[in-house]
Amino acid sequence: MFQSRFHLKLIPLAVLSVCSNSPAFAEETDTEARDNTQVVSPIVVTATRGAQKSFDLPVAIDVVSKDNIQDGQAQMTLSESLIRVPGITAQNRTQMSQDPQISTRGFGARSAFGVRGVRLYVDGIPLTYPDGSGQPGSVDLGVMQGIEVMRGPFSALYGNSSGGVVQLLTENAPQGHELSAGVLFGSYNTRRENVRAAGTADGLEYMINYSNYSSDGYRDHSRNTKEQGTAKFRFNLNEDTKLTTLINWFDQDADDPLGLSKANVRADRKQAIASAYGADTRVSRSQTQVGFNLEHKLNENNSINLISYVGNRRNEQYLSTSQAADAQGRWAGRASSIDREFWGTDLRWTHTGQLLSRPYSISAGLTYGKMNDDRMDINAYNGVKRTDANRLNRDEENIATNSDKYLQAQWSILDDLDLHLGIRRTKVKLEVDDNLRSGGIDKSGSVTYEKTTPVIGTVWKVTPTWNIYTNYGKGFETPTFVEAAYATANPVTGPNLGLKPSESRNFEIGTKAFVGNNTIANLTLFNVRTNDEIVVQQNVNNNVAYMNASKTKRTGAEFSIESKLDNNISLFGSYTLLNAKFDDTYSYTITSGGITRPYTVNSGNYIPGTYRSQIYGEVAWKHQASGFNTAFEARHNSKVYTDDRNTESATSYTIFNIRAGFQQKLQNWRFSEYVRVENIFDKDYIGSIRVNDGNSRFYEPAAGRNWLLGLNATYAF
């Protein structure tokens, strides 16, 4: 991992020479005539909340197709699929005690727990809570038809998030009925079984899926198990009214090997440090969520959409708070638990018509969400909760609510010019009700954040095959409860309700073009300026205190290209250039062991967790007669800094993967088999980092060469 970097001038040539199936354009419209060598624009719903071709929208938006989500993948983490999308960083932590690190254009890179700065949805139902945090681990990737990924200013129309929107879309039920089952085997005793039933009958579409996953993990002390299920029912009540019910459930246990220092990695990259064993660091989590989506067409020009959801989540994480055992041989730790109830609703009206003989559409909506957390933090020895009088560090109720209003419109001013407008008024309230009252001090309190975020964009249709677009908007990112938990790294100080939200100004310009029938290319340039960026001030024994930095800036480019060639050969490549830096010098102090030390973060330092360049390429081939398919993938990431002061970094890496599969059809049966080999040249590299870790254990090594083998059978009747 710490070996010399490749010459940068050779990397783009090496990686982009292997390209294939596009995440942005894999879904084809059924109404367009095409052959095996024609590339078309996918239909997306995230940008305008209505189905439109991505080619005609003034936003950077890409689609990951079902094939790229499920074929040759473990289907356990979003990082498997999102690595091919330009502008997105989705790192595989090689352990499942934490959700994958997902960020877009540097937003969300600092997150230590869950995903923040990026809003998550499944079929329009939020996976992001009112405080702005989200846990994508509840998603069942085995039932996904596609993933839409939107970056840039228009993301602000989804609420208190500056970075982007990731929306997962579940599969629709087939005509008739199907029963299917599959099994997956892999390195490190990895195994997954799944069964599914789906079909359509008497106006009801149904799909029920269950999977059971287990693995010993690549690193020591990283064993994990996960059960999950999804049920989707769609009732076609009449021609104008449809009701969809989506139920998600999962139950997971995972050991946490903790991060490693640079010296640890050199000594043994698979190891878990001693305190991981001593404090038995681990997590147990479960979640159940039920969502409803009612669609009703009032008349030819008006429709309404009501989304509501309710759920509960339980999470208990054992953390280490010492580097060595005490005199009695005990390893100190903490058990941090959350018992969460959450619910929300979104009511939207959509109207279409003509203004000055030109078509337009307008949507207006109201959203409300609430989460109620019972939070406990209990001292532990050797992974067992203490029972003495001083065991409690935290006992409080956290309540977050959001109430938003939004308006979004589109007007075709000319045959070749479209105007897009939007505005959202967001109000977020965080409340803390302290039950512990340590030392007789009540640390209860509340804070409210409000902001109006406007956006505007245009599309100039230069020719039927070439569009140029530009947009501008403001973003708003509130602190999550994790970030507002402590005013200092000492829990006695209570919550940090003085933490300010970050506000950004986001500009984007891009072009989308078809080159003949077989190639399509996208290029986006962006510039984002942020005030009051939320950053880590101090991290001691997993107690993290946050503060506001002054200014940051993010500039860069995103590029993707896809070609479908003769003989069923397809190519895809994507490139991301990101300069995410602090734009103003700021200072802060840290007190530890009774000693206060000053620190300075210099203007020009890179925001930790952001990669200056990322490249993905793929070449794929299908042999229709035999049902055989194969693909060769390449991925390159530049070096990444681990902390705000840029004192350490993980070096760049390039890895190569290969996958292959067969599909057969025999009367009512369909069979498929696939194999995947990841990191085929057994490269040592760092898969992700723990940003600003207080013990300088920043590094989470990725797996060496590893494999997956999957078998599936489906019976249709």
Side-chain angles (χ1 to χ4, degrees):
M1 110 85 174
F2 298 103
Q3 62 193 50
S4 300
R5 294 182 298 169
F6 289 102
H7 294 295
L8 292 180
K9 64 182 181 180
L10 297 180
I11 298 302
L13 297 177
V15 177
L16 287 180
S17 64
V18 286
C19 323
S20 164
N21 296 336
S22 167
F25 315 107
E27 291 186 0
E28 300 176 337
T29 57
D30 294 332
T31 58
E32 294 187 75
R34 59 187 180 273
D35 57 31
N36 291 332
T37 61
Q38 185 174 12
V39 176
V40 297
S41 174
I43 300 297
V44 295
V45 298
T46 302
T48 61
R49 295 181 170 86
Q52 285 189 264
K53 290 182 181 179
S54 64
F55 182 76
D56 294 326
L57 296 171
V59 298
I61 187 168
D62 295 89
V63 176
V64 184
S65 69
K66 176 182 175 180
D67 289 347
N68 292 317
I69 298 170
Q70 298 181 10
D71 290 356
Q73 302 284 11
Q75 303 170 34
M76 281 294 108
T77 173
L78 274 175
S79 60
E80 301 168 10
S81 308
L82 295 184
I83 57 172
R84 54 193 301 121
V85 179
I88 289 287
T89 298
Q91 297 304 308
N92 185 354
R93 310 187 74 154
T94 326
Q95 52 93 4
M96 295 181 67
S97 64
Q98 306 290 347
D99 278 313
Q101 292 178 320
I102 299 174
S103 63
T104 172
R105 298 180 181 175
F107 290 103
R110 70 178 176 274
S111 179
F113 301 95
V115 174
R116 54 107 57 250
V118 180
R119 296 200 66 91
L120 306 170
Y121 293 84
V122 175
D123 294 342
I125 300 169
L127 291 178
T128 297
Y129 303 111
D131 70 337
S133 64
Q135 274 81 29
S138 61
V139 173
D140 188 351
L141 293 175
V143 300
M144 293 301 152
Q145 180 66 33
I147 304 173
E148 296 182 7
V149 183
M150 182 171 70
R151 290 91 65 202
F154 275 80
S155 304
L157 294 179
Y158 277 84
N160 56 320
S161 169
S162 300
V165 177
V166 176
Q167 174 145 227
L168 299 101
L169 303 172
T170 56
E171 297 179 35
N172 291 322
Q175 297 298 318
H177 304 274
E178 290 184 354
L179 294 174
S180 59
V183 61
L184 175 145
F185 304 93
S187 300
Y188 323 119
N189 289 323
T190 297
R191 182 183 176 100
R192 179 176 59 82
E193 303 93 5
N194 73 282
V195 292
R196 179 164 66 168
T200 303
D202 299 326
L204 170 64
E205 303 173 25
Y206 67 93
M207 186 268 296
I208 302 171
N209 189 76
Y210 167 82
S211 66
N212 184 20
Y213 174 88
S214 64
S215 177
D216 290 342
Y218 165 68
R219 292 179 58 196
D220 299 336
H221 194 67
S222 62
R223 187 184 63 85
N224 58 87
T225 61
K226 185 177 184 179
E227 289 184 88
Q228 63 185 140
T230 297
K232 179 181 178 180
F233 303 97
R234 186 172 185 177
F235 302 90
N236 299 303
L237 303 179
N238 54 52
E239 291 184 358
D240 298 324
T241 307
K242 297 176 181 178
L243 174 64
T244 301
T245 301
L246 183 65
I247 304 169
N248 295 303
W249 160 83
F250 85 98
D251 196 340
Q252 182 179 24
D253 294 291
D255 291 335
D256 186 354
L258 302 179
L260 300 179
S261 68
K262 189 173 289 190
N264 294 148
V265 174
R266 290 190 178 119
D268 180 4
R269 57 187 300 105
K270 296 181 66 174
Q271 70 173 300
I273 63 172
S275 59
Y277 292 109
D280 194 12
T281 51
R282 64 193 189 275
V283 67
S284 297
R285 57 171 71 102
S286 63
Q287 178 170 312
T288 302
Q289 179 170 329
V290 181
F292 303 93
N293 189 339
L294 177 65
E295 304 166 88
H296 179 63
K297 185 177 180 181
L298 298 172
N299 53 45
E300 186 176 346
N301 300 105
N302 295 277
S303 62
I304 59 173
N305 186 204
L306 175 63
I307 291 175
S308 60
Y309 61 94
V310 63
N312 65 78
R313 181 181 181 89
R314 291 175 174 82
N315 192 102
E316 185 173 62
Q317 188 132 16
Y318 282 79
L319 307 167
S320 170
T321 60
S322 65
Q323 301 302 304
D326 64 14
Q328 288 77 40
R330 301 174 303 185
W331 290 84
R334 295 165 32 227
S336 179
S337 64
I338 302 172
D339 190 347
R340 172 176 297 163
E341 305 290 337
F342 59 92
W343 65 275
T345 187
D346 184 333
L347 176 62
R348 183 174 71 253
W349 163 72
T350 301
H351 171 72
T352 60
Q354 289 200 340
L355 178 62
L356 301 178
S357 300
R358 307 298 306 173
Y360 73 87
S361 66
I362 185 169
S363 295
L366 301 170
T367 69
Y368 180 82
K370 183 174 183 178
M371 58 182 275
N372 192 317
D373 291 358
D374 288 326
R375 289 179 176 258
M376 298 282 289
D377 193 283
I378 302 174
N379 289 320
Y381 282 133
N382 301 332
V384 178
K385 295 176 187 176
R386 289 168 55 180
T387 58
D388 58 273
N390 296 319
R391 68 188 186 280
L392 276 176
N393 298 309
R394 192 178 182 191
D395 178 6
E396 61 191 38
E397 184 178 10
N398 294 167
I399 303 170
T401 57
N402 76 281
S403 53
D404 297 13
K405 301 173 281 290
Y406 62 88
L407 181 71
Q408 188 169 359
Q410 175 185 349
W411 184 29
S412 297
I413 302 175
L414 302 171
D415 288 340
D416 58 0
L417 184 65
D418 290 348
L419 175 66
H420 292 252
L421 299 166
I423 190 168
R424 185 169 183 126
R425 178 67 177 179
T426 297
K427 181 178 180 180
V428 177
K429 184 177 183 180
L430 304 182
E431 301 177 70
V432 176
D433 187 0
D434 182 19
N435 298 319
L436 182 60
R437 304 192 180 188
S438 177
I441 300 174
D442 185 357
K443 303 181 186 68
S444 303
S446 66
V447 62
T448 300
Y449 308 102
E450 294 186 72
K451 185 70 175 178
T452 299
T453 51
V455 295
I456 182 171
T458 60
V459 179
W460 176 28
K461 302 174 182 178
V462 184
T463 72
T465 59
W466 179 27
N467 287 349
I468 297 175
Y469 68 91
T470 184
N471 55 59
Y472 172 82
K474 293 185 176 181
F476 177 59
E477 193 173 7
T478 62
T480 65
F481 264 127
V482 168
E483 293 165 341
Y486 304 117
T488 70
N490 184 351
V492 175
T493 58
N496 186 6
L497 299 180
L499 196 62
K500 294 185 291 187
S502 61
E503 300 181 10
S504 61
R505 302 175 307 281
N506 195 334
F507 175 76
E508 184 178 83
I509 185 170
T511 183
K512 305 175 184 181
F514 288 96
V515 183
N517 287 330
N518 70 344
T519 300
I520 187 170
N522 288 346
L523 174 65
T524 303
L525 307 177
F526 59 88
N527 185 310
V528 185
R529 301 299 175 107
T530 302
N531 292 328
D532 297 320
E533 182 90 24
I534 300 172
V535 299
V536 172
Q537 179 185 28
Q538 190 175 11
N539 183 344
V540 178
N541 296 331
N542 290 300
N543 291 321
V544 187
Y546 291 82
M547 60 179 286
N548 291 105
S550 181
K551 299 178 181 179
T552 59
K553 64 178 179 181
R554 296 165 170 86
T555 59
E558 298 162 2
F559 175 73
S560 66
I561 185 168
E562 180 200 13
S563 291
K564 289 188 176 181
L565 308 179
D566 293 332
N567 301 312
N568 295 310
I569 297 174
S570 59
L571 308 174
F572 172 73
S574 67
Y575 173 72
T576 302
L577 174 67
L578 173 63
N579 287 301
K581 297 182 178 181
F582 294 99
D583 202 27
D584 197 9
T585 298
Y586 69 93
S587 300
Y588 60 97
T589 60
I590 292 179
T591 301
S592 179
I595 300 175
T596 300
R597 295 182 175 88
Y599 293 92
T600 298
V601 175
N602 294 317
S603 177
N605 280 13
Y606 281 90
I607 296 175
T610 63
Y611 296 83
R612 189 175 188 275
S613 62
Q614 296 181 99
I615 306 173
Y616 180 87
E618 185 178 295
V619 57
W621 174 63
K622 293 182 180 180
H623 187 256
Q624 299 283 19
S626 65
F628 175 75
N629 65 85
T630 188
F632 184 69
E633 310 165 2
R635 180 159 60 97
H636 168 77
N637 278 26
S638 64
K639 83 171 183 179
V640 58
Y641 287 101
T642 60
D643 59 327
D644 293 336
R645 292 182 293 127
N646 291 181
T647 60
E648 289 192 27
S649 64
T651 57
S652 63
Y653 65 88
T654 303
I655 62 169
F656 300 91
N657 313 315
I658 192 169
R659 67 177 190 268
F662 276 100
Q663 294 182 354
Q664 308 90 34
K665 187 173 182 179
L666 180 63
Q667 295 181 345
N668 292 347
W669 287 94
R670 295 197 312 273
F671 301 95
S672 64
E673 309 83 30
Y674 61 86
V675 62
R676 178 182 183 86
V677 181
E678 187 99 4
N679 192 4
I680 58 178
F681 297 116
D682 203 21
K683 170 78 172 181
D684 287 344
Y685 70 101
I686 297 300
S688 68
I689 63 167
R690 298 192 176 205
V691 173
N692 288 315
D693 185 88
N695 298 306
S696 296
R697 296 199 304 262
F698 302 114
Y699 307 102
E700 294 184 311
R705 182 168 47 244
N706 61 96
W707 58 272
L708 294 173
L709 172 66
L711 309 171
N712 293 283
T714 300
Y715 180 75
F717 58 97

